[in-house]
Structures are given as structure tokens and as C-alpha cells.
Amino acid sequence: MQPLLEINGLTMDFGGLRAVDNIDFNIYSKEIVALIGPNGAGKTTFFNCVTGMYRPTGGDIYVHTDRDNKKRVNGLKPNKVTELGLARTFQNIRLFKGMTVLENVMIGRHCRTHANIFSALMRNKRIIREEYESASYSYHILERVGLDVFANEIAENLPYGAQRRLEIARALATEPKVLLLDEPAAGLNPQETDNLIDIIKMLRDEENISVLLIEHDMGMVMKISERITVMDYGKKIAEGPPGEIKENPDVIKAYLGEDIDAQA
Amino acid sequence: MFSEIKKSLLVSVWFMFLTFPIMVIKVNTIENTIIWRWENLVLIGLGSFFLSFLWRFMHNKKATKRRQDYKDVLSKLFYDNLIENKKVFIPIVAALIIFILLFPKMFSTYQVTIMTTALIYVVLGLGLNVVVGFAGLLDLGYVAFYAVGAYTYALLNFNYDISFWIALPLAGILGAMAGILLGFPVLRLRGDYLAIVTLGFGEIIRLVLENWGEFTHGPSGIAGIDRPNFGFDLSIVGSINAIYYFVFFFVLVTIFFTNRLQNSRIGRAWVALREDEIACQAMGVDKTKTKLSAFAFGATWAGFMGAVFAAKTTFINPASFTFLESAIILSIVVLGGMGSIPGVILGALILILLPEYLRAFSEYRMLIFGGAMVLMMVFRPQGLIKSKRRRYNLESMSKKKLKERQNAASS
Amino acid sequence: ADTIKLGVAGAHSGDLASYGIPTVRAAQFVVDEYNKNGGIDGKKIELLVEDDECKPEKAVNAATKLMSQGVDVVVGHICSGATKAALSIYLSQMIPVISPSATNPALTQSGDYPNFFRTIAPDDAQARLEVDFAVEELGLKNIAVIHDKGDYGKGLAQFAKKFIEETEGVNVALFEGVTPGALDYSAIVQKIKNSNADGVIFGGYHPEASKIVTQMRKKEMNIPFISDDGVKDETFIKVAGKYAEGVYATGPKDVSSNPLAKEAEKKHMEKYGEQSGAFYLNGYAAAQAILNAIDNADSTDPQKVMQAMRTNYVETPLGKIKFDEKGDAIGVGFSVYQVQNGEYVELNY
Amino acid sequence: MEYFLQLFFAGLTKGSIYALIALGYTMVYGIIQLINFAHGEIYMIGAFTALIVAGVLSVFNLPVAAIFVIVTLVAILYSSAYGYTIEKIAYKPLRNAPRLSALISAIGMSIFLQNYVLLAQTSDFLPFPSLIGQFEFMASYNHILSSSGLVIIISTFIAMVLLSLYIKFTRMGKAMRATAQDKKMALLLGINVDRVISTTFVVGSALAALGGVLIANHIGQINFFIGFIAGIKAFTAAVLGGIGSVPGAVLGALILGWTESFSTGYISSDYQDVFAFILLVVILIFKPSGILGKKTDQKV
Amino acid sequence: MLRLNNVNTFYGNIQALHDVSLEVKEGEIVALLGANGAGKTTTLMTISGIVPPQTGEIFYNKTPLHLMKPDEIVKLGVCQVPEGRHIFPHLSVSENIDLGAFLRRDKEQIRKDVEYVYDLFPQLAVRKNQLGETLSGGEQQMLAISRALLSKPKLLLLDEPSLGLAPIIVRQIFDIIKQINRESKTTILLVEQNANLALQIADKGYVMETGKIRLSGDAKDLLNNDDIKKAYLGGV
Ligand SMILES: Nc1ncnc2c1ncn2[C@@H]1O[C@H](COP(=O)(O)OP(=O)(O)OP(=O)(O)O)[C@@H](O)[C@H]1O
Ligand SMILES: Nc1ncnc2c1ncn2[C@@H]1O[C@H](COP(=O)(O)OP(=O)(O)OP(=O)(O)O)[C@@H](O)[C@H]1O
Ligand SMILES: [Mg+2]
Ligand SMILES: [Mg+2]
């Protein structure tokens, strides 16, 4: 089967520091994959390379646009990558704080709409329709993630957990094929985390979106992911289903510690 | 009470010390004479003593205002009503428009002239507001585009006798092109680095105008620029009034356009870019295009107004396009309330009319103006009117509610 | 109206304030004098002062304001640019305008502004004098022409350059502008030196001139330095001190022996405790000339006043003057001065 | 070659002047991210105070060196006092406000101070007495570098070194760096942030005053408007070098001085500032945070 | 040792704390739990004087903290490791640590204390000269705690020390918290999302909800409280 996202030998150096070291990675349709590893292992950097935030120093990243076509996305600008169907959230929440919740999501629609300055000034029928569709599409996404009640609130006034979900909603508005979530459960309490798990599963089942997530909450990772990739010092040290990873001595040594169940 | 007096006394002593050399002593280093103006010391002492009470009173008021939230909510409601309640808002705007239309009939030509100047700055303020207020790009060289517009008309008129109406769109286009020209190199820059480069750009334009004598007539400027021809012969007063109406019309157009853009795909992208550049790109917004469009759109208005300015004064030289001018336009935006269209309008009216009405204070005029700028910022740091985001009507968009309605209808 | 309204407009704030304020003071003295003596034909004179910061758009505002207040005549504006802009307004009612300091030749020579007069010579006349003096009297062959990029200075320098180029056997060694207000001019001074110029003609005002001269002299460059009316100012000598010695400057004929000038200076010293500043006497003369014209015309009717300006001589601190058809003052002769022992001394040239 | 040297030292002198003002700019910017447009006016007030004090002292027949020392100290005292007061009035109330508000407040303050001095003193240029004589050992180099120029260059260098040491090693210096990077955390560590910011203004203003005295002495004249252009140039220099960095401010100022002097000398002084600003743009395109500036790349 | 009486705190017009009262006794570890936005961080900021309370009183021993400025409060020995670590990005690790001792003058003792924290976190000793911003999240957290320890707090306020850390480090950090509490007799007020772990090491716990204290009690009791289990410990 064709992967949606195909990564070969991805490498990223910062000066002397090799933050991502020769990583191979594929993600397929309707998959939920977790990326875990100690702090500073290079997980976020991996995301940044894939989404065009950084220009990788080595390796190839391909996005499969349809059955036979794949496009190399190394060094493409982030907005181009997003147009190709990869959308992400950020480890430290980066919302458009002064805008309303709905507007935040509508920014996600930017790359799927077309109005330019002139047509916006003229505001003809087509533009009015586009505006309306973009607003209602965004609103439906808010309904899906349960934020519709906040639609007209200013984003920074939202509770923290809602802000996390808003980041996801915003990414969804770009109609991604693969959603990359960087520590979506950080700072959430267990109830909120469960809620988040339901949303992610719903996205996969109903919207056919594949999800790649970085997370330190092992409870969540084990519950949700079909496959786990473990990084340490920029390298991939293990890959496999949750049950296997939990027992992997390397992973236990580098990351999990001895009795993981006590925490989860 | 006693401690208040003590505080004020301290302030008073401090200011007497502070202003002592400059206010009291005047020396003549050639003739070696010294004049002591002790009366000034007394003035400063008394002045600062009493003003310090006022200062603290105002600060306390500012602080308590923050505290008494319920009161704030009330005033907020009132303000919201004003803007959002069409019943109140429309009559106010209508009254305002009638007032503005009748303005030349009611006041002297001088009032009309300065009002025209103020309205020109309203447009400039709204244009810069797009760059600074919406897109968050700190532009300290906005006056450059204004100069480009002004010289476009002046030179075309001077050299080829081209009429205002043909030159006006050209001025706008050239302004936009200058905006793009500036935009390209500075796209990578952030915050205050952008500020200094735009400042430099403004200076470069002015210096070129000053030094390239063969083309721009250098510092002596271009005189005898034609006033716009409105299709019928006008006296000077008539022509001043006509320009006034034209500029007012332009203000309306600008408000209409910026307001439209503010809540469009591009306008949202501008604001998002201001809020978080990185997230914005990750959401699929093309940073380069969006920034350039903000620069170009903002610059267009400056270009238009430049041409109007040249037509209005009939004479231009580089002295009108100094950094201070950019600073004033920026102040209009910030003082009015960044991103807020009514705020910017108010800011322009205050900052441009204030020095004119302060003429009564003659030499103290600019002193008061500078002081007023500081005080306005200190006591209204968010600007006069805070910008508001658009609220959407959600009812019509909700699928859930639609379904409920359908269910209700079918059952 | 029951008063005669005299407008005074010019830069009274901002960086050029020092050129505008002395004229306000001068006009005040003249008006006080008239009013003390009962005004003109029983009418008191009212002074209306408007600041234009030397900016064209502010000048238009100031002019419109003066017109709205029913001004009869105007002394001003200070800078040529601002004056041109303001004239477009005054022209509509032919308000007579007399500037103490706007030297742009076109103001009178273009014929566009029939209501304009001035008590200062236009740039080309001064430039002519400077160049003739430099070539004939000093025998210079290779002259550096420097200016301050300003309206006045650059205009003058351009005329000087043109006149030098028209003269056989004399070259322009260097033609450059300096940025006014810059902290330090040593680079341009070195460049003058490097150009092997045997003399400098500077167009501009005294602050830059004194900085340049000081640095030239400190670098032991003792070639002649010739400048203009903007430099022929007491402040120049005060500021440049010993380095001012030997500097030439053109300016209106020496009037220091003129009792009216003495009197005007004395008044200033008494009231402000310091010597007067730039264009003080020109302002004084301008105010006198225009009020005298009203007096002679027995009317504030512009045409009559302008006619009176052109026909009647008036005694001013600058001497006995009237105005030619174009509006330039007749009788404001020009001389070359040299700083000798801390004073400007008129040369017999 | 001699011409080159002359231009080199002309640029060095000018650059050093810019540097003295730029240091204060960069310090204030570093700590509260404010482009303090009133900083040029502090420099102007320093020069004016010096002039006034020198005028008063001239009555007493003191040796020139003594006058110079007293004048400098009083100018520093007063400029610092102004810097301190301005911060309290115009910037402190705006500490939690949008950054542009403080910028506008600074512009207003700058206009206010200019007109304050204009009204209280005079609009005219005033001659500044020569307080530094010609050094004898400099006599034979005078055509290349004047004595007052030498004093400026040396003072700038000393000021830069002392300031760097102060920031690096003293308690207050450490507190300044901490405050600059994270005000909230500085508070939580027991640093009195208000006092640190005040101190920064005082030190920056003192440097500006020193610049004011030296420059006025070098050029020999002052008026109320000298702060404006000096301020803009110093700001440019500070940004060029990487705003917030002490050696950066000096380096930026020197580069600016040299650009101006060499472009005047070898091309034309008409476009000297145009070259300076073009250089600025070019450098910032390749080094978006200035020559010695900290990378501002945010970690995503 | 620390007592809050009916504290009300506002951000502008938004009231973040409603009549919050709590008590921390000397030598205790007290856990402060609650959902996002419940006001835990605000409570700590109010104690530290960064966001002073509008009404209500805060006493540290007998000293009224609500009347004091942040730097004075730190001088009394009340230190906070704020949410988000707040490492000085352009200072080296050792400079960051030194700043913890900003108010202290006892050079000798400071040196010993620095050694102590390097013992506690050997990773930091290795990275002494590295800039703060280049550390990984976990290292930054260790640095933040070290810095607070250097100010010799009598009362340490910790805000979500486990946020975003790898499981193995979370445990390490909790061990260290216990250790400092026991060895240097530092009283600790601990804000945590990870309620389970927090209550395991705490003596007492408070649970906040929308700016109010909703529950309080012995840590053991809370651990077994069904409501708490459901809301904060993730299922039953
Ligand atoms: N822009 C950058 N410049 C220099 N070094 C960087 C940069 N971004 C990341 N690094 C370094 O690369 C390494 C990997 O960082 P990264 O943020 O990818 O870690 P992570 O796996 O996401 O860790 P965590 O779980 O703590 O978020 C770290 O050592 C970090 O300091
Ligand atoms: N600076 C601020 N301005 C305005 N409101 C704020 C500010 N900081 C926090 N709030 C609001 O105060 C309330 C309490 O926030 P606080 O940060 O104390 O919660 P918390 O319990 O620490 O939550 P978390 O688990 O997310 O850290 C929230 O509603 C929050 O939105
Ligand atoms: Mg990460
Ligand atoms: Mg918190």
C-alpha cells in the first residue's frame, strides 16, 4: 500500500548538534501513530522539518498526492506543505490570541479559498458565497470538537483545554490528510485527555485523517496509537505496536523508567 | 492627606532641582553675562506641586477604574450599544455626515483648510493602520509613499501638464509599487528591525528628492501645481471647498474599503500574521504575499493622498516629507487605537487639529502638543477606541440547529 | 475694520525656529512704535502671528487662517518654499506680502506673484557678487562650492557654480552638499583639501558654515571662505570664535551706523537681553515698509498699498528703500564683509 | 594614503560620537524593548547643562581642566536625573501596555523636551567653549585627527569596556540582563525590576551626557535641535550592530561613521545618508538581527 | 506558615480567584490540584505578589504578604518555580543558577549550595556553560528548580513541574521534591496536573475549581475520594 507520507533518511543539524539523525518513517491512511522519546530527542524538530518550518539538512520527504504521484516537500514553504495536506499543532500553544475562535479556524481555510484584495473589495456574489462557506465550514469543525459555544469568543480567553482543541480545529480547517499533533494533552487533566482521545479517534474514523502525535502522557499513547516510534538523541531506537514498545528494554531505559503503570 | 502633601512637596523640590539650570540660568558665553530668572523656579515649584496632585488623582482613577469592574461593564455596554445598535449608530453617523457636508457653509475657509488637512490624515492614518494596526508591521517610513504620490502629480503636472484626475490613479499605483519595492527586502525582518529599515527607506526617498535636482527640482520644490479641475471654474475659496468635499469622499471610500478588507480572507490573514507569524504559515498563509499586499495596499492610500496634497498646497518640496511626518501618522494610528477604524479617524482629527487649535498658545504650541501625546498614551495606552473583532451570526451556519429545525418541521 | 491687521508668519517652532522668531520680535517692535503714536490714521495695528514651521502645508494653513482673520498685509514667510505655498492663498485676494528672508529668485522674477515683496536680495544677485569678488578681488582659480542642500543654500550655490563656469579660466573644484545638523564635517573638509581648491564658496546658514570653517581652520586650511547673507550673522562670529577671522560674507550694505538699526538693536537688547538673530533687521524693515505703505496709501486696499510700496521711499534700518516692479527692494545694496577682530567689516568692493 | 587615513579618522571620530549615544539607546532597548526617541534629547540636555555650567564657572577663573571636569559631572548628574524622571513619567505607566504606546509616548516626550529647551533657553545656536585644548603631542598629527577627536575616540572605547564589564560582572549588571530577558522571572528571584530599569536609564543617560559634553566641545556649538539627528543616527547604529548588544552598538556606530566619511570622500556627500541607509538595509538582509545581535529565531 | 484568608484576585475585570483560603504548615508538602484555568497559577502568583490580591489577606508566619512587593516577598524566603520554567534564554546554566542567589551575600555558602544542586542534577553540571535556551525541556525544568533552591527558600512554590516531561524524568523530579522537603526542611506548595503522583508525595491537598477551593483534606483521603478519582485521576 502507498504511504501518505514517506520519509527517508531525514537529518537535521543545528550547528554541531544533530537533532534528527537519519530517520525513516512512513504513515499510511487512517493510522494513528505516536512519536515518543526523552526531552530533547528531536521530536519537535522532526515535525518542524516535515512541515517546512526548517529546511532539513539531509533526507527526503514525500507527500503522496494520489495513487501514483508523490511530491518531494523538502524545503517547501510551510504554507505549501499545508496545501499538500499536512497540518500541525504546536507544543506551546500558538493561537491568534486577539481573534475570535471562529476566525482562528477560518485562517485555516485560507489555503482552500481564493479571494484576493480586489475581489474582496468588490465583494461579488462568488466572494460572498466563499466567505459564507468558509465561515460555516469552520463552524462545523467547531461543532465537531465541541467548541461551537465559544465561536465568537476571543481565543485567549478560552480555558486551556479548549485552546488545545482549538489548535486542532484550526489545523482541521486546512483539510489535512495527515494531522501532526505536538503534545496535544500537555497540561490537560485526565478527563480532558479522554475527551481528546475521543476526538482523535473520531477524526480517523469519520474524516479519514491519519494522525501522528508526540506525547509524553503514556496513558494516552498506549490507549490510542496503533504504532509507536521512539526517538532518542535524534535516532529512531524502536518502532512497533504499543504492547511491544512497553516491554522494549531500550525504551524503558531511555524513556519510560521502571514501573510505568504507576503513573498512567 | 498629610502624606499626600509631603509627596507633592517632594515632587516639587525634585522638579525645581531638575529644571534649575535650564529654566533659571541663561548664560552668554561671549560677553560672560549670566541672567538668573528666579521667578521661573517659583513657577516650576508651584506648578509641579499642584500638578502632582492631579497626576496622582488621574492615576488613581485609572487604577480604580480597572477595579470597579461592574462600572466598566456598564460603560462597555453603553459603548457597544453605540456601535452595534443600529438605531443609535445610524442617526449619529447621519448627523455626523450632515455636519461634515455643511461644514464649509458654517465655518471659515481656514477651518475648511485645516479640516481638509485633517481628513487627508484620516486617509493616511487608515492606510497606515492596515500596515501597522492590521498586519503588525511597524512602518516608520510611511511618508515615503506620500512623497511618491505628491511628486507623481507635481512632476506630471509640471512637465506635461497632466491633469489631476489622470495623475491621481497613477499616484496610487506608484505608491503601491513603492510599497512592494520596500516590502521585498524587509520581509525577513522582525519588529524593530523592520522599523529602522522603513525609517531608512523614508529618509532615502526624501534625500533623493532633495539631491536629484534635475528631476525633482531639489529643495526649492515645485510651485504652481494646478488645483484639480472640477469641471467648472472656481474661485480659490470654491476650490478649497471642492477639495474638501473630494477628500471627504475619499475618506468614505477608504473607510468602506478598509472595513471590507478587515473582515475578508486577506484582512484576517493580516491580523493572524500580526498575532503569530509562524502559526500563520503553518495554517497555509503565504507570508510573503500577505505582507507585500499589506504594504502595497497601505501605500496606495498614501500615494493617492500625496497627489491630493500636492493639488491642495499647489507647492511641494521635500521639507514636507520628513521622519516627523511618519511619526505623526504612526501616532494617529496608535493613539486612535491600533486596528480600529473609528479610533484612527478620531486620532487623526485630534492630532492634526490639536496643533492648529493650539495656535492660540503660540510658542507653547508644540510643547503642549508633545506633552499631550505623552499624557494621552499614559492614560489611554490602548488608544482611544479599542479594535473589535467581528462577531458572526452562528444560527444560520449551524448544521446541528438546521437538523433540529428540519426535525421539528418534519415531525 | 477698526484695526489694521498685520500678519507675521514663519517658522516659530521646530528646527528652523531661529530664523523666524527674530522677525516676530522685529514686527512687534515696529507695531508697538506705531501704536504708541496712535496707529495709522487713527487705527491701531493688530499683530497676528502664525507659525508655519517652514513647511509648505503648514504655511497654507497659516495663510488661510490669516485670511480668515481678515489680515490686511503680511510680513513673511521665512523660507522660500513655505512662502511660495502660502502665496497661492494670498494671491486670491492680492494681499501684499513682504518677506524678510525668502530669497528664491523666482519669487520676484517669475512674475507669478505680483503681490510679493522682499527686503532681501535674491540669491542670484548675491551669488554674482560672491563670484565676482572671489575671482576679481581674491584671484581664485579653483573654487569649491559647498551648500547645505537647503532651498536657500543650494539655490545660491547653483548660481555660484553657473557664474564660475561662465568665467574664463576659473574652475569649480568641487560641488557638494552637506547634511545640515550633522555632527561632524571633517570628511567633507578633507575632501575640499583633497580637491586642491584655492577657495570655498558656501551657500547656506551659519551653523553649518561655522562647523565647516572651524574644522578647516583646525586642520590648518587657510584658504578663503566666502559665504552669504545666511552666514553674515553675529551668531556666526560668536560660535566660530577665533576661527571666524578672515571669513568673507556678502550681505546687505553695512547699516550698523544707521541710527534706525542701532535703535532696533538696542530695543532688542533691552527687552530680550541678547543680540538679535537672523533677519531681524530685514524683518524690521519689512514691517516698516509695509506699514509705511499703508500710511501713504491711506488705505489697506491692496492695489493702493502695492502702489505705495513701489513709489515711496521709506527709512528703515536697512537704509532708504522702495520696491521695483517685480517686488525686489531698491536700495538694499550688497557688500562684501570680512570678519576682522571679531566683527564684520564692510570691504570696499 | 594620507587622504584615506584622514577619512578613516574622520569616520572613526564621527562613529565614536554616534557610539556614545547609541550605547544608551541599546541599553534601554535591551531592557524594555523601547526605542527611546527621547534619548537624543537627553544628550541635548546634557550639552545644554554643560554649556550653562561652563558659563557660570567662567566667572570664577578656574583652570580649563577643572571646568571640564565639573561641567562633565554636572551634565552627567542632570542628564541622569532627566532620564530617571522621564522613565517614571512617560514609560513606567506603560510597562504593560502595547509596545507601540510607549514608542509614541517617547516621540511625544522628544517633542516636549525640544520645545522645553527652545522656550527656556533660545532657538539660536550657542557657541560652546573649548574645554579641551590642543595636545602638544598631537600637533604633528593634527591634520589627520584633532585632539578633541582623540578624546572622543578614547572615551568611547573606555565607556564601552567599562559598560561591558559592568553588565557582565556586577550584581546590577546581572540583574539588568535577567530583567531584559524575562521580567516576571526576575521579579520572582527577588530582583527589584523597577530599580533595575531606573538604573538602566540613569546609566544610559549618563553616557549620553558624556557624549553631549564631548561632542559640543568638539563641534563648538549647540542648539535645542541637535538631539534629533544624533538620536536617529545613534538608533540606526544600534540596530546595525544588533540592538541590545553593547559592543554591537559601538561597532554599528563605527561602521556608520566610516560609511558616511568614505562615501563623502570618494563619492559624494550629497548621498552620504543614502549610502548609510542602503548599507543598513543590505546588512540587515543578510543578518536580520544586526551584526552582533542575538539570533531572534524563535524556537518553534 | 502560610495562610490565605478569603483572597480575591482579578485580571482586569476578570475575577480569577474567589475567596480562596488555604493553609500550609511548616515542613509540609501541600498539593494544589484542579482543572485547567481553575486558578492554581493565579494563586501562586498572588502569593508571590506578581498579581496582588484585590481583597483578602496573605500571611507568611506573621508577615502580611499582600502588602508587599515581589522582591520583598522573595527576600522573606518565599520562592516560586513558575509555570513554563522561565529560564533566561541567553544566560548560561551557571549564570541562571547564580541568579537564584541574587539576594544572598554569603559567598561561601552559595558555593556549597551550587555544588549541592549540581549533585542533585548531575546533567546540569555537564551543561554548565550552555545557554539556557538550548537545553531540552527536562533539563530546563531541573535548572528552574535548582535556581529556586539557590535562593534558600523556606517556602517553595512549584507550578506544574512535570509539564511536558518524559515519564522517567517526571519521577526523578518528584523524588527530588521529596528529597528537598525532607533534607532541607523546605516547605512546599505544589501545583500539579498529575494529581496521582502529587498526592502520593503530599501531606495535604486542595482542589480548586473555577477560582474557588472546592475540596481539601489529607492527601491519602483525597487519593481515595471517588469524585477526585473521576475528575483528576483518570477514570476509576
Ligand atoms: N532552532 C534551534 N536551534 C538550535 N538548537 C535547536 C533548535 N531547535 C531545537 N534544537 C535542539 O534540538 C534538540 C531537539 O529539540 P526538540 O525540540 O526537537 O526536542 P523534543 O524531542 O521535542 O523534546 P521535548 O519533548 O522536550 O519537547 C534539542 O537539543 C534542542 O535544544
Ligand atoms: N494574564 C491573564 N489575564 C487575564 N486572565 C488570565 C490571565 N492569566 C490567567 N487568566 C485567567 O484566570 C483564570 C485562572 O488561570 P490560571 O492560570 O490561574 O489557571 P491554572 O489553574 O493555573 O490553569 P492551568 O492548569 O491551565 O495552568 C483562567 O480563566 C485564565 O483564563
Ligand atoms: Mg518538543
Ligand atoms: Mg497554571
Side-chain angles (χ1 to χ4, degrees), chain D residues 182-242:
Chain D
D182 193 333
K183 268 181 218 35
K184 197 176 186 184
M185 194 60 224
L187 274 174
L188 287 176
L189 290 174
I191 294 171
N192 186 336
V193 167
D194 285 342
R195 191 149 73 219
V196 172
I197 292 176
S198 288
T199 311
T200 309
F201 271 85
V202 166
V203 174
S205 304
L207 286 169
L210 180 64
V213 177
L214 291 175
I215 296 156
N217 176 72
H218 177 67
I219 299 170
Q221 57 173 317
I222 58 172
N223 83 342
F224 71 97
F225 205 69
I226 54 170
F228 184 72
I229 291 185
I232 297 237
K233 285 290 166 66
F235 172 39
T236 309
V239 173
L240 193 61

Side-chain angles (χ1 to χ4, degrees), chain A residues 206-253:
Chain A
E206 295 177 19
E207 312 278 340
N208 293 330
I209 293 174
S210 302
V211 178
L212 170 60
L213 82 158
I214 298 175
E215 191 46 72
H216 289 300
D217 180 341
M218 282 307 108
M220 172 174 182
V221 169
M222 297 301 164
K223 234 184 263 177
I224 194 173
S225 46
E226 292 146 9
R227 184 152 65 89
I228 298 177
T229 299
V230 189
M231 282 176 77
D232 192 15
Y233 291 110
K235 292 195 181 68
K236 184 152 90 180
I237 57 168
E239 188 162 32
E244 217 173 87
I245 294 293
K246 221 191 303 198
E247 309 298 330
N248 185 318
D250 289 343
V251 180
I252 290 175
K253 187 156 160 278

Side-chain angles (χ1 to χ4, degrees), chain E:
Chain E
M1 182 175 209
L2 177 77
R3 179 198 297 280
L4 277 72
N5 291 334
N6 297 324
V7 167
N8 287 289
T9 303
F10 290 77
Y11 290 107
N13 316 326
I14 307 161
Q15 183 162 8
L17 297 186
H18 297 264
D19 288 328
V20 169
S21 303
L22 58 79
E23 192 181 358
V24 181
K25 294 218 178 72
E26 186 141 12
E28 275 184 337
I29 299 181
V30 174
L32 184 57
L33 310 173
N36 297 116
K40 308 179 295 290
T41 301
T42 309
T43 307
L44 296 198
M45 288 299 169
T46 304
I47 296 172
S48 285
I50 305 279
V51 193
Q54 213 89 99
T55 61
E57 298 163 323
I58 305 169
F59 287 101
Y60 172 70
N61 295 330
K62 293 263 155 56
T63 330
L65 296 190
H66 54 282
L67 301 177
M68 299 173 76
K69 287 198 197 149
D71 53 306
E72 296 165 342
I73 293 173
V74 178
K75 266 178 214 156
L76 294 174
V78 181
C79 278
Q80 186 182 160
V81 177
E83 199 173 29
R85 300 160 202 157
H86 288 271
I87 299 301
F88 297 110
H90 303 305
L91 297 185
S92 69
V93 169
S94 65
E95 283 172 319
N96 264 289
I97 291 185
D98 283 350
L99 271 170
F102 184 76
L103 292 174
R104 292 171 57 187
R105 311 242 174 206
D106 47 339
K107 283 209 174 119
E108 249 334 280
Q109 190 56 39
I110 291 178
R111 237 206 6 250
K112 279 187 201 147
D113 290 350
V114 171
E115 270 163 32
Y116 168 73
V117 298
Y118 280 142
D119 278 350
L120 218 52
F121 303 106
Q123 276 128 299
L124 289 185
V126 181
R127 303 186 180 271
K128 243 184 215 173
N129 297 318
Q130 210 167 315
L131 288 190
E133 64 178 349
T134 64
L135 294 183
S136 88
E139 289 158 355
Q140 287 191 352
Q141 191 65 54
M142 296 173 203
L143 180 54
I145 294 176
S146 310
R147 195 173 52 185
L149 290 182
L150 251 277
S151 54
K152 276 263 161 123
K154 300 194 187 79
L155 172 63
L156 182 60
L157 314 172
L158 285 171
D159 200 348
E160 304 207 22
S162 75
L163 186 76
L165 294 185
I168 193 167
I169 304 201
V170 172
R171 221 131 15 96
Q172 200 182 338
I173 294 239
F174 274 84
D175 286 345
I176 288 165
I177 293 172
K178 241 190 291 182
Q179 196 182 337
I180 14 190
N181 172 252
R182 239 180 284 124
E183 288 182 6
S184 13
K185 300 275 167 289
T186 310
T187 312
I188 291 172
L189 176 57
L190 172 68
V191 168
E192 251 308 322
Q193 208 55 258
N194 197 332
N196 202 339
L197 268 182
L199 288 175
Q200 280 178 18
I201 63 165
D203 301 299
K204 209 165 63 187
Y206 287 89
V207 179
M208 288 188 83
E209 215 166 71
T210 55
K212 301 187 186 87
I213 299 281
R214 222 201 59 171
L215 268 178
S216 63
D218 239 29
K220 303 274 156 353
D221 297 345
L222 288 177
L223 259 177
N224 297 323
N225 181 318
D226 279 347
D227 282 357
I228 304 265
K229 267 191 192 161
K230 219 166 114 196
Y232 304 109
L233 305 181
V236 188

Side-chain angles (χ1 to χ4, degrees), chain A residues 118-227:
Chain A
F118 299 103
S119 55
L121 288 180
M122 294 310 136
R123 199 178 273 184
N124 56 23
K125 273 228 179 75
R126 201 176 49 103
I127 297 304
I128 295 175
R129 233 207 8 251
E130 185 183 279
E131 270 290 296
Y132 175 77
E133 277 168 8
S134 137
S136 56
Y137 189 101
S138 304
Y139 188 69
H140 297 152
I141 292 176
L142 288 178
E143 283 181 336
R144 297 231 93 162
V145 299
L147 288 175
D148 48 330
V149 287
F150 294 120
N152 275 333
E153 293 292 323
I154 299 295
E156 74 177 329
N157 295 344
L158 251 53
Y160 186 92
Q163 294 194 8
R164 283 262 173 228
R165 270 180 289 153
L166 177 53
E167 274 229 327
I168 296 174
R170 193 175 63 174
L172 286 176
T174 66
E175 299 177 32
K177 284 181 272 190
V178 184
L179 188 59
L180 299 99
L181 306 176
D182 198 345
E183 300 197 24
L188 300 192
N189 62 34
Q191 211 175 24
E192 289 170 321
T193 308
D194 284 342
N195 194 343
L196 182 68
I197 291 175
D198 292 341
I199 290 177
I200 293 176
K201 285 193 170 147
M202 175 268 291
L203 290 177
R204 183 206 35 201
D205 298 336
E206 295 177 19
E207 312 278 340
N208 293 330
I209 293 174
S210 302
V211 178
L212 170 60
L213 82 158
I214 298 175
E215 191 46 72
H216 289 300
D217 180 341
M218 282 307 108
M220 172 174 182
V221 169
M222 297 301 164
K223 234 184 263 177
I224 194 173
S225 46
E226 292 146 9
R227 184 152 65 89

Side-chain angles (χ1 to χ4, degrees), chain A residues 14 17 19 38-45 54 91 183 216, chain D residues 299, chain E residues 134-135 137 164:
Chain A
F14 293 112
L17 176 84
N39 297 107
K43 306 178 295 294
T44 301
T45 308
Y54 296 157
Q91 181 169 0
E183 300 197 24
H216 289 300
Chain D
K299 230 186 113 181
Chain E
T134 64
L135 294 183

